[in-house]
Amino acid sequence: MFTGTLKVKLIEAVDLKLTDFQLRHNVGLVGKLIKNTMDPYVFVDIDEVHVHRTTTKQKTFCPSWNEMFESEVQSGTNLGLTVFHDAAIPPDDFVANYSMSFDELIDITKDQNSDIWVNLEPQGKLHVVVDLKQDVCNSNNEETSELKELQGSNRRSRDMRRRVHQVNGHKFMATLLRQPTFCSHCQKFIWGFGKQGYQCQVCTRVVHKRCHELVVPRCPGIKDATSEESATGQRFSSNMSHHFVKHTYFRCTYCNHCGSLIYGLIKQGLKCKACNMNVHKRCEKNAANSCHINTNVITETH
Ligand SMILES: [Zn+2]
Ligand SMILES: [Zn+2]
Ligand SMILES: [Zn+2]
Ligand SMILES: [Zn+2]
């Protein structure tokens, strides 16, 4: 918990990359990348209440901002830094994020080491200078917490529409589904209009809002701190690997990973010889390590 003044200088980011979610929407009919660039900005929140947004930098994967902001914090527990791509048509695309507890921050900055590089997820690094000035007199009375609540709810309704829900490494965001989609968790159709689906911005998995907290397989796009082979590019090898082979579907079939239709005439997708899971070719790498986890995979759909 932190009460006091937070000063952050957002210096630069390096190694930003388009997420699989973005790549999917940036590919034209002939499978070529239409736009291989982004216009990034950083969105800062404290306990999911928006406190700052940097300017947008044009067409770059290594933006430099050098922008400073200051914020009074009342009993803050978590600082969130999220990089978004400033899209021409909203909503803006998620690029990468990092969240850190104030306890951690206080620890890091205690010995004058306030100039830090944080590892963003799923990729990239962010260079920040953090200055924390803790309030000496603990003003934790009811009046201030009420005030915080008031400010919080006002800001929340205005600025946190693009919330990232993190479960098992996945970074789910409410997404407008433009085509019929099945939930990869419960395998039921996602009904309704508007933002009905939760899609992981890293691996493109789509689930119901009500199912997103139940997703068990870890997001394959997030490096696992415990397994070092992730650094060598073997992040998808595991004994849970599927045995995908090219398959020609004669009936309407949906991808069991991202939930949308597998289209085309022949060899449209891949079918696992072991568990019968069906996926798009583009979804293979993201579905790769979940064989037999999903025991109720449907083979053909109505
Ligand atoms: Zn994911
Ligand atoms: Zn579901
Ligand atoms: Zn399988
Ligand atoms: Zn798919």
Side-chain angles (χ1 to χ4, degrees), residues 24 204 255-260 279-280 282-283:
R24 194 172 149 177
T204 70
C255 174
N256 294 125
H257 180 74
C258 75
S260 63
V279 293
H280 291 112
R282 64 163 187 253
C283 290

Side-chain angles (χ1 to χ4, degrees), residues 74-139:
Q74 276 290 334
S75 326
T77 50
N78 212 72
L79 175 70
L81 303 164
T82 310
V83 181
F84 282 102
H85 157 68
D86 201 339
I89 306 158
D92 292 345
D93 296 334
F94 170 90
V95 176
N97 74 346
Y98 185 76
S99 91
M100 166 161 49
S101 73
F102 274 102
D103 294 342
E104 217 180 317
L105 258 181
I106 291 165
D107 250 21
I108 296 170
T109 55
K110 202 160 43 189
D111 19 278
Q112 302 303 91
N113 188 17
S114 57
D115 189 323
I116 48 178
W117 282 90
V118 296
N119 287 317
L120 299 168
E121 287 180 346
Q123 60 238 329
K125 281 192 168 79
L126 186 66
H127 187 186
V128 290
V129 177
V130 182
D131 183 23
L132 295 168
K133 277 209 179 53
Q134 210 145 1
D135 274 3
V136 194
C137 50
N138 213 340
S139 53

Side-chain angles (χ1 to χ4, degrees), residues 131-157:
D131 183 23
L132 295 168
K133 277 209 179 53
Q134 210 145 1
D135 274 3
V136 194
C137 50
N138 213 340
S139 53
N140 226 348
N141 59 49
E142 265 177 40
E143 207 179 311
T144 52
S145 65
E146 252 173 51
L147 186 66
K148 184 204 171 191
E149 203 46 55
L150 195 68
Q151 290 169 341
S153 58
N154 280 343
R155 288 191 201 157
R156 196 170 289 136
S157 56

